[in-house]
Amino acid sequence: MKNIKEAPFLQEITRLTSNMYRLGWDERNGGNVSYLVSEEELKDYIDFSVIRTLPLNFHAPELAGKIYLVTGTGCYFKNMELFPETNLGLIRITEDGDNAELLWGYEDGGKPTSELPSHLMGHIERLKIDPEQRIVIHCHPTNTIAMTLTEDLDEKEFSKKLWRANTECIVVFPEGVGVLPWQLCGTIQIGIDTSKKMKDYRTVIWANHGIFGTGKTVDEAFGLIETVEKTAQVFMIARPNGILNTITDAQLKELTDAFGVTDQVKEGWLG
Ligand code: 2HA
Ligand code: ZN
């Protein structure tokens, strides 16, 4: 067996968590990631024997047999690169969709993130839309959270504030962003509500808490989050001075036409 610390999929995730830590989006044990890994990618690194079985406390038969690399509950993003074996785990969803079998990791007796319902239910919804869906990232980006304190949480209003502030936004997320008002995190209910939003959006913001980005690649999901966060920063810097210049609906239409994403904009959102 090769050393799993050298596996490309593992290094991709630990590089990601280190990056997010340095960006200031994952203080303490904030944030969590889940990443679909194929048996082919794993076969040189693990023997697929089950170390422990962990109850999911919800039902995810759609993911039966799938294996996810998942950050551990209470784990710090800043420590993942150095100690992946305690801070990360590889879990396989059982055939009945009720349990997760630990195949590697959580070596100090840990278990998956408290936000596992949002992650797995999110994968289920996004897989229906995009069969290549692989990653869900949750983190706590400062300016995005700040913007949920000062702005209306209506999804169209919130999305359009981002689109109007910064040219790349409507091109990167023409479907807008989903927004959930505050509710208790780490629950099955927030998983249900978040995954409902993910039917329409690859990006979901939790007011006074953080953001989710999804996609087929780390770059896609991370790119959504960094584009929202960069724009929220621009918006929050400009806001106290009074906002004078924004991109108009006609200009937003020019952008969606030029970049071929017009059909992804929701009916009635542009003029
Ligand atoms: O503790 O970010 O939402 C990790 C979290 C919970
Ligand atoms: Zn969080």
Side-chain angles (χ1 to χ4, degrees), residues 27 29-32 115 138-140 185 206 209-212:
E27 71 292 341
N29 61 320
N32 23 79
E115 306 298 357
H138 166 64
C139 62
H140 301 166
C185 56
W206 283 357
H209 184 141
I211 191 167
F212 278 81

Side-chain angles (χ1 to χ4, degrees), residues 152-163 175-181 193 197 200-201 203-205 266 269:
D152 194 314
L153 298 179
D154 176 81
E155 272 155 3
K156 179 177 165 191
E157 291 300 313
F158 203 94
S159 299
K160 288 192 75 174
K161 275 184 187 136
L162 296 170
W163 289 353
E175 78 274 34
V177 294
V179 184
L180 268 191
D193 295 347
K197 296 285 181 197
D200 291 315
Y201 305 100
T203 319
V204 177
I205 294 170
K266 292 183 172 46
W269 277 34

